[in-house]
Every structure is written in C-alpha cells, then in structure tokens.
Amino acid sequence: MLILHQGHDCAYEIQCVLRLFVGEEKLTEVEEIPENAENFLITKAKQTENAWELQLIWGQNGVISEQNARIFPQNENPKGELEHQFGILIYEKLQRQTGITPPWGILTGVRPIKLFRQCVQQGMSEEQITAHFAQRQVSEKKIRLALETAKKQENILKTAIPESFSLYIAIPFCPSRCSYCSFVSHSVAQAGKLIQPYVQLLCEEIRATLQQAKHLGLRLTAIYMGGGTPTTLTAAQLRQIFGVIRENWDLRDVLEYTVEAGRPDTIDQDKLLAIKEAGVTRISINPQTLNDRVLALAGRKHSAQDVRDCYALARGLGFDNINMDLIAGLPGDTLESFRATLDELAAMEPENITVHSLAKKRASNMSEAAGGAREPKPAGRPEGVLGHGAAEMVDYAQQKLLLAGYSPYYLYRQRNTADNLENTGFARPGRESYYNVYIMEEVQTILACGAGAVTKLKAPNGSYLERIFNYKYPYEYISRFGDMLKRKERVAVFYEGDHTA
Ligand code: SF4
C-alpha cells in the first residue's frame, strides 16, 4: 500500500494502527500517488481558525472513498489529538472492512499499563479511566485486566525509591534455538568456544558496575539473570558469576534475586545447588507447553516430563518462588491442549505463571524456514500475524488463573503478536516479581551487563530516561570489551550531573 501524508507529522502512529489490520503488508511512504495506483491511503490535516480538518482518502482496488473529521484541540501542541483522531478513523474503517477487532483498540505501544497509571496520577476515577480507554476502542475485558494489573503494582512501585537500581545480567546462549525465538541467543554448537571468555569478561563488567554503583551511593533492589538460558553455563561458570556478585555487594538488602533456569534440558541438581547457595530467591522453569508434539514443533529439545521432573527437583531443593512461562498460539497447539497445559501448571502451584502470546518475529527460524512448523494463513487474518485461537487461550488462562488465586501484576505487548494480544505475568498474593514491574514500567535504573544488555538510566525525580547499549553479539562483546566499559562511564556522569545532560 502506498501512503502519502500531508500537513501533519503523525506518520508513525498511523502506520502502527494500520499494522494492526494489515500485518506485514508492505507500506511505502511516497510524495505523490501515481495515477494508476490501486491501493493507497492519503492522510491530510489542515489547521483552520480554531479547528483542525482531517481527511483520509482510501484507494482500494480502484475504488476511492473518503473520511473526514474536525477536531478542536485542547492542547497547544495538538499532535497527540491528531494521532488519536487519525487512529480512530483508520480503526473504524478497517475494523468494518476486515472483521478484525484488535482487543487493545488503537493502543499500539508496548506498555499499556503505563497509560493507565498516568490516568490514575491525573486523579481520574475508575469510571473515567474506563471511558477514556473505551473511546480508544480498548475492549472491556482488557480495560479490566489493565486496571487490575495497575492496582497490583502499587506496592512494588513504592520500592523503586530514588537512587535504587536493579542489576541485569545477560547470558545469550541456549542449548539449541527454539523455532519461534528472535532473541540474540547463540546455540552452544555455534558459540561453545566463546562461552568461557565471555563469562570471564562478564565477571569483570559486573565487578566494575557494582563498584561504580557503590561509589555513586546507589541501592540495589533486584538482580535478574536472564538470556538466552543462563543454565546453559556449567555449574562452575555459574558459581564464578555468583561469586563476583557476592564479593562486590552485600546482598542482605536485595529484595529479589532471579535466575531464569529456563529450559529443562539445561537444568541439573548441581546447577540448582549453585543457584541456591548463591542466595537466589526466584527461578524460572519454562515449559511453554506440556504437549510433547507442540514442544517438538517449537524446536524445544525437552519433553513435558522433563519439565515436571525439573520442577520436582527444584521444589525438593527448597526453591519456594518459581515462575513458569507458557505461550498461547504455538503452531500445532489447540485450545484443548493449551487448557490441559494450563490446568496442569495451575495444579503444580508455582508462585508465578507468565502467559505469553506468540510473537512471530523476522529473525526466528519460524519465519526463515520455508514451510517449517508454520501453519497456513487463516482466512481473513493478515499475512504475518499468527493466530491459533490464541485469544481464546489467553481468555481461558485469565479466567482459570484468577479462580486459582493468581492475579495479573505486569503486562506488556509486542509487535506481530498472535491476535494482537498481550503477555501477562500472574502471581500468587505477595509473590509478584519486583524486577518485572521495574523494567516494564520504567520506574528505576537498570544497570545491565553482558552482550545485548541495555542499561537504562532513570532520573531519580523525573521522567528522563537514557539508554546505554552493550555490543549485541558475544564475539563483539569480547573483542570490543574495553570500548564498551568506556561507554559505561556515562553512568557516573549521569548521576553526578543534572540527569539530563
Ligand atoms: S530458550 Fe528462550 S532464548 Fe533460548 S532459543 Fe528458546 S526462546 Fe530463545
């Protein structure tokens, strides 16, 4: 589709709303629509004395139609209001035309809960917030979910005091690659030789980071080791990293210490003991599904029984805060099999269950493989957006988990997600993960170590946020380690300056 914008700078937001309906269809911005063009969209905005006139002109297979709207902006800078109105016009037209009803309406950002919290901070009542998001076409179900989630976060947000920070440690290795994954993670077969030098330098970066934080008078509230799959490392390598953390920080005041054990095919008793001895308080054991056929299609090299065995082993060793991830919309999965997975997980009673909606990303094997595990495109669904009854699966998960005593406490969205859904973390009362809330709501500094890790500096008394990117791939991380540490000197400048320079 060709797109021409005139008289406004809302192109990005317009494209995001279009994507909800057209999936990966190519959208090309042009300066002129050729006479013979069949499929195009022209968006125009013109300011008059006290109003803005908006116009959308659609060309579809040779038929041209028009929509018009007039708005009277309340703000000096009307960009947000123009974006909103363009979004509504596009939504109304394409919703009717395609029959697709995106559950989050015209909200396209990854952090919808932030918007709900902003409304609370502005003093809006629950009814006003509901009306505000209903105007944005957000479904009643999602409004309730967001409100519930925002309430659950309140206590955790209070712990994100000024000068507090979390430490993130990236282990970008996995035993093999899952077909739906697009993280920068390297299989052991690909990158085995890099692992030990990587661990060596990672320890150096952690040491430097914690020493710098100490010097700046910061307070560590949560540690999160993620990936990849941290338990791809040997027990000795894990101990080496844990040792550096312990030597450089007194862990008594740390509220939460998580290690994503992740894939059951990487977990054994020795590694779990190393994790336990380090003082880790929370681990993840991620089944994704308990259907062996679906696991095989997803390229996971473990069985459902491996998940059950790992979970029993971890419980036996005394882990009392376990998260389990699952995915709605995996190829080959059905509503019935998803329900069976969820029912069994709920019966196992982990403290957290995180329900993801499958996001198909360009870098994944699922996208790369011709044929592969991919299912045919369902009729009426835009190319590139996967969906296998994911909406029903997510609905079932929410109902079942609420009944089983879990509550939603963090939520985010990704692009290209099955049925435009969300990922939601559920927890038993008082077992919500601090780190997940901090990172998702961007309320605290995250000092991040390892390849692909992104440090986020949050001004203690404001909304200013600055990011420092580490090199993405382990080989770059190793070969350019000195440059990268230099880059992180910015952390001290940030805290010692006015936080905005
Ligand atoms: S375990 Fe996670 S990070 Fe590793 S390949 Fe699978 S989805 Fe990607």
Side-chain angles (χ1 to χ4, degrees):
M1 182 191 286
L2 302 178
I3 309 179
L4 172 66
H5 301 293
Q6 288 178 346
H8 63 87
D9 56 354
C10 306
Y12 177 75
E13 191 57 30
I14 287 173
Q15 203 171 112
C16 289
V17 178
L18 276 172
R19 284 263 169 253
L20 296 174
F21 298 93
V22 303
E24 286 183 48
E25 182 183 329
K26 196 169 177 209
L27 303 174
T28 310
E29 266 189 53
V30 291
E31 291 186 359
E32 200 177 328
I33 301 288
E35 254 180 43
N36 59 353
E38 297 239 310
N39 293 306
F40 61 85
L41 168 65
I42 302 172
T43 69
K44 294 184 184 178
K46 194 171 160 201
Q47 188 173 16
T48 59
E49 206 175 314
N50 59 351
W52 279 80
E53 308 285 347
L54 308 189
Q55 187 181 34
L56 262 64
I57 303 171
W58 297 88
Q60 281 162 317
N61 304 321
V63 178
I64 296 180
S65 61
E66 250 187 67
Q67 288 165 280
N68 296 288
R70 173 179 293 155
I71 61 165
F72 300 91
Q74 307 294 311
N75 296 306
E76 214 167 282
N77 178 0
K79 186 167 184 276
E81 290 162 87
L82 295 182
E83 284 175 346
H84 171 76
Q85 194 54 47
F86 273 129
I88 292 288
L89 289 174
I90 293 169
Y91 181 97
E92 286 174 352
K93 162 106 179 159
L94 294 183
Q95 197 272 338
R96 269 199 310 274
Q97 192 171 307
T98 62
I100 295 171
T101 305
W104 290 92
I106 61 165
L107 297 192
T108 56
V110 295
R111 297 183 168 84
I113 304 303
K114 248 184 146 178
L115 300 177
F116 278 74
R117 282 201 294 109
Q118 278 163 10
C119 291
V120 175
Q121 281 157 6
Q122 285 164 21
M124 286 166 74
S125 67
E126 210 163 298
E127 288 72 31
Q128 287 169 320
I129 296 174
T130 303
H132 180 81
F133 287 99
Q135 276 169 12
R136 283 150 183 79
Q137 309 293 341
V138 182
S139 76
E140 212 181 297
K141 235 185 291 179
K142 298 304 174 197
I143 294 176
R144 274 203 313 274
L145 174 69
L147 281 169
E148 183 83 7
T149 305
K151 274 187 211 155
K152 271 284 157 195
Q153 296 185 343
E154 279 167 18
N155 284 339
I156 291 189
L157 292 172
K158 285 182 200 149
T159 62
I161 51 172
E163 318 299 351
S164 71
F165 79 104
S166 290
L167 176 70
Y168 179 79
I169 298 163
I171 309 293
F173 305 104
C174 286
S176 63
R177 200 163 167 81
C178 306
S179 57
Y180 54 84
C181 177
S182 69
F183 293 116
V184 179
S185 180
H186 300 263
S187 66
V188 174
Q190 235 180 2
K193 279 197 204 125
L194 295 179
I195 295 181
Q196 188 51 41
Y198 179 84
V199 168
Q200 210 63 39
L201 291 175
L202 179 64
C203 287
E204 210 173 300
E205 190 186 9
I206 294 170
R207 187 178 300 114
T209 301
L210 291 178
Q211 285 304 324
Q212 187 183 45
K214 217 178 255 181
H215 174 76
L216 293 168
L218 304 184
R219 296 168 62 172
L220 178 58
T221 48
I223 304 173
Y224 195 101
M225 185 189 277
T229 305
T231 38
T232 306
L233 304 185
T234 63
Q237 288 164 335
L238 287 170
R239 284 194 171 94
Q240 191 181 344
I241 299 171
F242 297 144
V244 170
I245 298 172
R246 211 184 255 285
E247 282 156 25
N248 288 279
W249 204 275
D250 180 348
L251 296 179
R252 274 175 300 188
D253 293 334
V254 174
L255 298 171
E256 179 180 270
Y257 190 168
T258 297
V259 171
E260 272 186 20
R263 282 188 23 184
D265 47 338
T266 61
I267 302 172
D268 61 30
Q269 178 155 331
D270 197 17
K271 293 182 194 179
L272 284 177
L273 281 172
I275 294 171
K276 189 94 189 98
E277 286 156 15
V280 169
T281 56
R282 181 176 178 272
I283 59 169
S284 276
I285 297 173
N286 298 328
Q288 313 303 5
T289 167
L290 290 175
N291 178 322
D292 282 332
R293 199 177 62 85
V294 180
L295 280 173
L297 277 173
R300 306 269 296 186
K301 308 281 185 214
H302 63 83
S303 66
Q305 192 53 44
D306 294 332
V307 176
R308 298 178 190 113
D309 294 345
C310 262
Y311 183 80
L313 181 64
R315 283 294 195 218
L317 293 172
F319 285 95
D320 63 0
N321 196 358
I322 300 181
N323 171 66
M324 299 183 100
D325 278 3
L326 68 155
I327 301 178
L330 279 172
D333 209 2
T334 61
L335 181 57
E336 202 184 7
S337 121
F338 180 85
R339 281 180 169 176
T341 294
L342 196 101
D343 291 352
E344 185 175 344
L345 284 193
M348 289 162 84
E349 300 186 339
E351 287 64 28
N352 291 190
I353 295 181
T354 309
V355 182
H356 295 263
S357 309
L358 182 69
K360 188 191 80 112
K361 297 187 180 172
R362 285 199 176 85
S364 72
N365 290 346
M366 208 184 268
S367 302
E368 286 160 8
R374 188 165 175 189
E375 296 208 329
K377 178 190 162 200
R381 187 177 299 287
E383 178 65 33
V385 179
L386 293 180
H388 310 272
E392 290 82 3
M393 294 177 185
V394 164
D395 278 354
Y396 179 75
Q398 286 168 7
Q399 285 162 21
K400 171 85 192 177
L401 292 174
L402 288 182
L403 283 174
Y406 292 84
S407 301
Y409 76 96
Y410 88 104
L411 183 159
Y412 66 100
R413 299 176 63 217
Q414 285 167 284
R415 283 197 194 295
N416 229 356
T417 298
D419 289 342
N420 281 309
L421 293 160
E422 65 284 340
N423 302 325
T424 308
F426 292 85
R428 292 198 164 277
R431 309 314 291 269
E432 298 82 11
S433 159
Y434 292 83
Y435 179 82
N436 285 338
V437 174
Y438 297 149
I439 183 91
M440 216 36 78
E441 300 308 313
E442 297 186 316
V443 289
Q444 192 200 48
T445 283
I446 310 283
L447 299 182
C449 300
V454 182
T455 289
K456 289 184 181 176
L457 301 172
K458 175 83 170 50
N461 295 309
S463 58
Y464 181 76
L465 195 74
E466 187 171 313
R467 292 177 172 80
I468 305 172
F469 293 84
N470 277 10
Y471 290 116
K472 208 167 175 181
Y473 301 102
Y475 71 87
E476 271 180 306
Y477 178 85
I478 293 168
S479 61
R480 305 179 72 181
F481 187 73
D483 296 348
M484 205 192 56
L485 274 198
K486 206 149 186 51
R487 224 184 247 186
K488 292 182 86 175
E489 287 171 7
R490 175 70 200 154
V491 176
V493 176
F494 178 88
Y495 276 101
E496 286 165 354
D498 64 0
H499 308 306
T500 57

